[in-house]
Amino acid sequence: MKIPEVIFKQRLKFREQFYNFMATVTGLTIFTIEFFKQAFILPLEASEIKKHMDELGVKTFPIVTITGFIIGFVLALQTQPILARFGATDFLPAMVAISVVRELGPVITALIFAGRVSSGIGAELGSMRVTEQIDAMDVSGVNPFKYLVVTRIIATTMILPLLTVYVIFLAMVGCFIAIAIAEPMSVQYFIDSVIESIAFEDFIPGVSKTFIFGYIVGLVGCYKGYTTVGGTEGVGKSSTTSVVIASMLILIVDAILVKISVLIW
Amino acid sequence: MVENLVEIFNLTKRFDDKVILDDISINVEKGENLIVFGRSGSGKSVLLKCIIGLITPDKGEISIMGKNVHNLKIKKLNNLRKNISFLFQSAALYDSMTVRENLEFPLIRNFNISHNVINEKIIKTLELVGLEDAIYKMPSELSGGMRKRIGLARSIITDPKLILYDEPTTGLDPITSKEISELILNLQKQLNMTSIVVTHDLICAEIIADRVIFLRDGKIAYQGALEELKTIQDPFLQNFFSNKLLNE
Ligand SMILES: Nc1ncnc2c1ncn2[C@@H]1O[C@H](COP(=O)(O)OP(=O)(O)O)[C@@H](O)[C@H]1O
Ligand SMILES: [Mg+2]
C-alpha cells in the first residue's frame, strides 16, 4: 500500500505543533512558579505596578465601555420576545442580570482584555527581548523578571476584576435602556428586581474568576514576549500567539471553574 | 605582581554542534585595554556575553575579580555585575524611558545615593559624551551615533571597574568614532577602568589598544601589541591591516 506523502507531512506538522504545545505548557508552569517565588521579594516595585495599571485602564476603557453597554442592550432585546411568549417579561431584568453577572460579563471582558492586552505585552516585551533591552537590564544588576514580568502580571490580575464590575454595571444600564425603549418601566422597579435576583452566590464566583483570567492574560503575554526569538518577525508571532493562547486558556479555565462552582453551590 | 581582573580558562561554546568558541583562555590585567578583533560572526559578541554571564559556556571557567561568574547565585552575581558594564552592539537603550531615565535606572536601583548626586552624575556624564541637550529625549528621537553615545553614558555612569564594549564604533562616522575611542582611552587613564573592546575598527584599536587578540575559527589566532602584529609577515594579518588602512 502506498501512503500519500501529504499524510507524512501533516504528521510532521502535527508533531511540531505538539512539541510547541508542550513547550508552552512547560513554559507557563515555570513562569507561574517563578512569579510566586518573586512576587513577594523586595522591592515590590509598587510604582511600576501602578503605572501598568494606569496604562491598562486607559487602554481598555473605551472598548469595554462600548462592549458592556452593548452586551446588556442586545441581551435584553434578544431575550424579551422569548419571555413574552411565556408572558414572563417581568423577569427580563433578572434574567439579563444573572447571565451578565455569572458568565457573560466576566468572560467577554476577559476575552476583550486578552485581545487588547496580552498582544500588547507580548509585543512590548518581545521587542525588548530582541533589541537586547532585557539583557541590558540583566547585566546592570536589576532582575528583569521581577521588574518587567511580575509587575505586569500583578497589574493585569488586579485590573481585570475592576473592569468586569464596570462592564456588569454598564450592561445593566444597556439592559434598562433596551427595556425602556419598548415599554415604560420605572428605574426603581428595574433596580429592585435586579438586586433581588442576584445573590451573593452569583456575584462571588463571577467576579473572583476574573482574577484568574487577569492572571492568565498577564502570564501568557509576558511568557510569549519574554521568550521571543527570531528578531522582529518573532515579535509579531509572540504578539498574535499570546492572544490565541490566552483566549483559549480563559475559555478552558472558565469551563472548569463553572463546573466546580456548580458543584459547590 | 600584576593583578588579573578577568581570567578565562578553556572557554568552549557551541550552538547546535557549531563550535563558536574553541578552548579559549584569556587574562585581562587590571587597568588594561584589551582589543578583540574578529570578522563578523566570529563569536565576539558570544565571548562578551559569556564573560558577563548572559550565555552559559559549554566548558571552561570565567572569573571576574576572583569570582567565578557561572557559579554565583543570582544575588551575588548581581552584586558583581554592579562593578561591570556592558555596552551592547545595538546600545540597547530602554525604549520606553527618556535618556534621563535610562541613565538613572542603574543608579536608583543599585546604588544608595541621593537624588542630588544622581542629578549631578547624569549631567556630568552627558557632558562627557557631548549630549547634554538630549536629556529629555526618547531613544527613538536619537540618531544611531547619539544612541551609541547615550549607551556609553549609561555604561560609565555607575563608575564600573570593568567595561565590555561590543563594537562601540561600528556604524559611526570616522570623527565620532575617533571621539568615542578617545573617550574610552580617557576613562582608562583617569579612572583606571579595565576594558575589553570587541571591534573590527582599526582606528579605534590604534587609539586604545594595550594588547590585541585575533579571533578566528573559534580560536585565538594571534595576540600581542598592535605594533608587533603589524610587523608579522602573515597573509591574514597583512591583509587585515592593509585593507583597513586603505579606508583611513
Ligand atoms: N543565541 C544563539 N543561538 C544560536 N546561535 C547563535 C546565538 N548567538 C550567536 N550565535 C551564532 O554564533 C556566531 C557568532 O555570533 P556573534 O558572537 O554574534 O558574532 P560577532 O563576532 O559578529 O559578534 C554566529 O554564527 C551566530 O549565528
Ligand atoms: Mg557581534
Side-chain angles (χ1 to χ4, degrees):
Chain A
M1 188 182 78
K2 193 169 180 319
I3 299 167
E5 203 180 321
V6 62
I7 291 191
F8 288 108
K9 278 207 181 123
Q10 283 313 111
R11 275 192 54 164
L12 221 77
K13 256 194 201 150
F14 182 77
R15 183 189 289 175
E16 213 168 84
Q17 279 173 357
F18 181 72
Y19 284 158
N20 266 342
F21 173 76
M22 289 316 287
T24 304
V25 171
T26 317
L28 290 177
T29 312
I30 292 172
F31 263 55
T32 294
I33 295 169
E34 204 56 32
F35 170 78
F36 283 104
K37 260 201 223 159
Q38 296 197 14
F40 306 103
I41 298 175
L42 295 173
L44 289 175
E45 305 284 5
S47 67
E48 201 55 24
I49 295 173
K50 188 177 165 297
K51 194 186 92 189
H52 291 317
M53 284 181 71
D54 286 348
E55 274 169 16
L56 293 176
V58 170
K59 207 168 152 184
T60 49
F61 199 73
I63 187 162
V64 298
T65 304
I66 296 169
T67 315
F69 183 81
I70 287 180
I71 294 174
F73 190 79
V74 170
L75 206 58
L77 289 185
Q78 289 275 29
T79 319
Q80 193 175 33
I82 302 171
L83 289 182
R85 243 187 274 160
F86 305 106
T89 40
D90 283 355
F91 290 115
L92 190 53
M95 240 191 103
V96 172
I98 290 177
S99 332
V100 168
V101 167
R102 289 197 78 125
E103 192 55 33
L104 289 176
V107 171
I108 292 181
T109 315
L111 289 177
I112 286 173
F113 192 68
R116 193 87 179 84
V117 170
S118 62
S119 60
I121 293 179
E124 202 180 356
L125 293 190
S127 72
M128 288 189 79
R129 168 60 74 194
V130 301
T131 58
E132 299 181 314
Q133 292 175 52
I134 295 182
D135 289 336
M137 214 168 261
D138 204 354
V139 299
S140 76
V142 175
N143 176 353
F145 191 91
K146 171 92 191 176
Y147 184 79
L148 299 172
V149 174
V150 173
T151 55
R152 278 178 174 77
I153 295 181
I154 292 178
T156 56
T157 309
M158 303 213 297
I159 201 111
L160 186 57
L162 298 178
L163 287 175
T164 306
V165 171
Y166 172 66
V167 161
I168 290 172
F169 171 75
L170 281 179
M172 295 332 293
V173 173
C175 171
F176 176 74
I177 290 174
I179 294 172
I181 290 173
E183 53 181 290
M185 178 186 274
S186 83
V187 180
Q188 192 56 48
Y189 174 78
F190 181 81
I191 293 176
D192 284 347
S193 57
V194 166
I195 288 178
E196 206 175 291
S197 63
I198 304 175
F200 193 64
E201 300 97 274
D202 297 312
F203 207 74
I204 291 304
V207 173
S208 57
K209 69 185 173 189
T210 62
F211 282 100
I212 300 175
F213 296 161
Y215 175 80
I216 289 173
V217 170
L219 176 76
V220 174
C222 286
Y223 164 69
K224 278 287 162 188
Y226 201 78
T227 59
T228 298
V229 284
T232 22
E233 205 191 318
V235 177
K237 255 191 209 156
S238 297
S239 168
T240 42
T241 50
S242 16
V243 181
V244 176
I245 294 174
S247 310
M248 268 176 16
L249 262 182
I250 286 170
L251 293 172
I252 293 169
V253 168
D254 183 53
I256 296 170
L257 289 179
V258 168
K259 182 73 196 158
I260 292 175
S261 74
V262 167
L263 287 181
I264 295 177
W265 277 281
Chain B
M1 204 189 89
V2 215
E3 195 184 331
N4 281 334
L5 199 79
V6 181
E7 296 181 334
I8 302 171
F9 299 108
N10 307 110
L11 172 66
T12 299
K13 179 69 199 172
R14 284 185 210 91
F15 283 117
D16 314 318
D17 295 341
K18 200 172 135 211
V19 182
I20 308 292
L21 300 173
D22 189 3
D23 205 21
I24 285 182
S25 298
I26 306 173
N27 287 335
V28 188
E29 286 170 12
K30 200 165 178 216
E32 185 182 26
N33 279 344
L34 176 71
I35 294 268
V36 180
F37 276 131
R39 294 170 52 174
S40 190
S42 59
K44 304 185 298 292
S45 298
V46 172
L47 174 66
L48 289 186
K49 286 178 184 171
C50 284
I51 295 176
I52 194 78
L54 281 175
I55 294 181
T56 315
D58 296 319
K59 255 201 323 224
E61 273 181 23
I62 295 167
S63 75
I64 302 179
M65 298 186 247
K67 302 216 173 65
N68 188 331
V69 177
H70 294 275
N71 280 347
L72 288 179
K73 287 258 160 53
I74 186 82
K75 213 166 174 185
K76 291 230 167 101
L77 179 63
N78 278 343
N79 274 332
L80 179 64
R81 280 173 170 173
K82 285 175 196 171
N83 300 304
I84 310 170
S85 283
F86 192 120
L87 177 59
F88 284 82
Q89 202 166 344
S90 58
L93 300 180
Y94 306 128
D95 280 336
S96 59
M97 304 182 196
T98 63
V99 166
R100 195 202 147 82
E101 288 163 341
N102 263 280
L103 297 189
E104 257 177 1
F105 190 79
L107 290 179
I108 292 183
R109 277 153 202 292
N110 289 337
F111 299 87
N112 205 355
I113 45 181
S114 78
H115 203 72
N116 285 338
V117 179
I118 289 181
N119 268 341
E120 272 170 33
K121 262 180 164 314
I122 289 174
I123 291 164
K124 205 187 85 196
T125 316
L126 282 177
E127 270 171 11
L128 205 60
V129 298
L131 283 176
E132 307 92 304
D133 298 339
I135 184 162
Y136 292 115
K137 289 213 162 97
M138 298 302 284
S140 56
E141 299 169 280
L142 305 176
S143 71
M146 288 160 91
R147 291 171 70 99
K148 267 262 158 79
R149 283 196 270 177
I150 298 298
L152 182 62
R154 192 178 67 186
S155 309
I156 61 181
I157 199 165
T158 53
D159 300 323
K161 299 195 174 65
L162 170 69
I163 308 192
L164 310 173
Y165 298 93
D166 198 348
E167 308 201 6
T169 59
T170 306
L172 302 181
D173 64 274
I175 298 172
T176 316
S177 159
K178 217 170 150 196
E179 277 172 12
I180 287 195
S181 308
E182 274 157 7
L183 197 60
I184 295 174
L185 184 69
N186 283 341
L187 288 170
Q188 178 214 19
K189 290 267 171 316
Q190 288 167 14
L191 305 168
N192 198 28
M193 283 182 194
T194 309
S195 358
I196 302 179
V197 185
V198 150
T199 185
H200 39 229
D201 177 4
L202 193 58
I203 307 169
C204 165
E206 278 178 340
I207 295 173
I208 59 185
D210 291 320
R211 187 157 59 99
V212 179
I213 282 179
F214 271 89
L215 271 190
R216 195 170 54 162
D217 302 327
K219 295 203 179 279
I220 296 173
Y222 310 93
Q223 64 174 315
L226 194 56
E227 295 309 313
E228 267 169 45
L229 292 179
K230 276 185 183 168
T231 61
I232 296 179
Q233 297 295 323
D234 177 285
F236 175 82
L237 286 180
Q238 297 280 317
N239 201 2
F240 179 83
F241 289 124
S242 59
N243 272 343
K244 291 297 162 94
L245 287 174
L246 281 180
N247 297 338
E248 210 174 61

